[in-house]
Each structure stands twice: as C-alpha cells, then as structure tokens.
Amino acid sequence: NSFCTLLAGMGLFGISLRSPRLTLLLLHWHFLQIIISGFNWRFFISREESLLGPTVPRFHIAFCIIGLFVYVFVASVVIYWPYRYGQLMLLKHRRNSLMFGTALVYFFHVLPLWIVEFNILWSYGWITLMQGTAFIIITVSWIFETLGVWYAYMWHMSSFMHKNYGNTRFGRGGR
C-alpha cells in the first residue's frame, strides 16, 4: 500500500478521508453560488444603478430569482435523486438525472448571470470584492457546466445518430 492509501484509510483524527460524491458537491456548490449571486445583487448591483442603468439590476435579480426557484423546486430534487436512490437506479438514469439537473441550473441561472457579470466586468472593471468573488464563482461554474452540458449534448446526440442512422452503408437506421 502506498502512503496516500494508508492516509486515506486512517483519516484525520479518526475521520475517514474520502472524496465527496458528485451529487452532494453539485447540490452544495449550486446553493452557494445562488446565495453569493443574491448577495452580489444586494450589496453591489442594486447600489450601482446609476452606473449600470436600470435594466442590468432588474435582469440580474430576475435570473437570481428564476435560478433560485428552478434550483429549489426542480434541479436540487433531480440532482439529489441519484444520491438517495442511486443503488436502485441504472447507471444511465443516474447520469441523465445529474445531467438534467445541471443543465437546468446552467440555462436558468449560470449562463444568464455569467453574461451579465462578464459584461459588467468588461465594461466597468473590478469594483468591489463582492463583485469579484461572485464573478469568480460564476465563472468556475460556467466553465465546468458548459463542458458538462456540451458533453451531455454530445452523448445524447451520438446515441440519437446511432439509433436513427446506424453504421449502414446508405445511412439507413440500425432498427
């Protein structure tokens, strides 16, 4: 056994060291991100209406609220489902559930707010610590979730292409 395996088995102060499951990581990360986006609106964007104009703060708070509702009522349930009942689900159902929940948060919260935050940063620069923190967190989410949503799209489209067109010579489906 290697030293790292020994350390992982022993843990720190009797606490087992193991990586968190992706589902719990996504649940907590999205919750943190929504909270920080709300704080960013409250303590930066709503106070800079003279700089940003009336439209940007309204757009920002609208997608904070939409993202919160989508997360609380749909995405968190869909993401938590494979964590709670994963042993009873097929691997593809667990994967699809995580992809769907992540895509919901991505399209209804991360992508619109990243566009707003990037536009503010590009146009006016880094103004406050809250703005910078929110931008860094939303950018990390945007990078990883863009790759995840793109991966999910490729996965499902390649399956669709194979089912409908197969690998036949004349492009007829494999059915």
Side-chain angles (χ1 to χ4, degrees):
N1 285 342
S2 70
F3 180 70
C4 294
T5 308
L6 181 65
L7 278 179
M10 285 179 19
L12 182 64
F13 303 112
I15 299 170
S16 175
L17 297 175
R18 62 184 179 113
S19 62
R21 295 177 93 173
L22 181 62
T23 52
L24 290 182
L25 184 70
L26 284 172
L27 278 173
H28 291 97
W29 178 258
H30 286 134
F31 182 72
L32 174 75
Q33 173 190 347
I34 288 170
I35 295 299
I36 289 178
S37 294
F39 278 125
N40 185 34
W41 178 82
R42 174 67 178 98
F43 296 112
F44 170 66
I45 292 179
S46 67
R47 294 183 179 182
E48 296 294 336
E49 195 168 311
S50 61
L51 176 68
L52 304 172
T55 308
V56 172
R58 290 180 187 149
F59 186 81
H60 194 280
I61 192 63
F63 276 100
C64 281
I65 292 170
I66 290 168
L68 176 68
F69 279 104
V70 167
Y71 172 76
V72 168
F73 293 115
V74 183
S76 63
V77 175
V78 174
I79 291 171
Y80 185 73
W81 183 23
Y83 173 75
R84 180 69 174 92
Y85 297 104
Q87 69 275 11
L88 304 174
M89 299 170 74
L90 295 173
L91 177 62
K92 69 178 188 174
H93 293 144
R94 290 193 308 254
R95 181 194 63 233
N96 290 346
S97 180
L98 284 175
M99 288 179 180
F100 181 65
T102 302
L104 283 174
V105 174
Y106 177 75
F107 285 115
F108 289 104
H109 182 76
V110 173
L111 183 61
L113 287 186
W114 184 81
I115 292 170
V116 170
E117 298 279 343
F118 183 78
N119 187 26
I120 292 171
L121 194 68
W122 185 266
S123 300
Y124 306 106
W126 189 308
I127 299 172
T128 66
L129 181 64
M130 186 72 234
Q131 174 209 12
T133 304
F135 180 74
I136 289 169
I137 288 176
I138 202 88
T139 300
V140 168
S141 287
W142 180 79
I143 289 168
F144 286 110
E145 291 179 20
T146 297
L147 292 173
V149 168
W150 176 55
Y151 173 75
Y153 171 76
M154 287 188 315
W155 184 274
H156 287 287
M157 286 308 294
S158 65
S159 175
F160 170 80
M161 296 293 289
H162 181 70
K163 286 178 185 174
N164 290 309
Y165 302 108
N167 56 2
T168 62
R169 186 174 191 176
F170 299 107
R172 295 189 190 121
R175 295 181 193 187

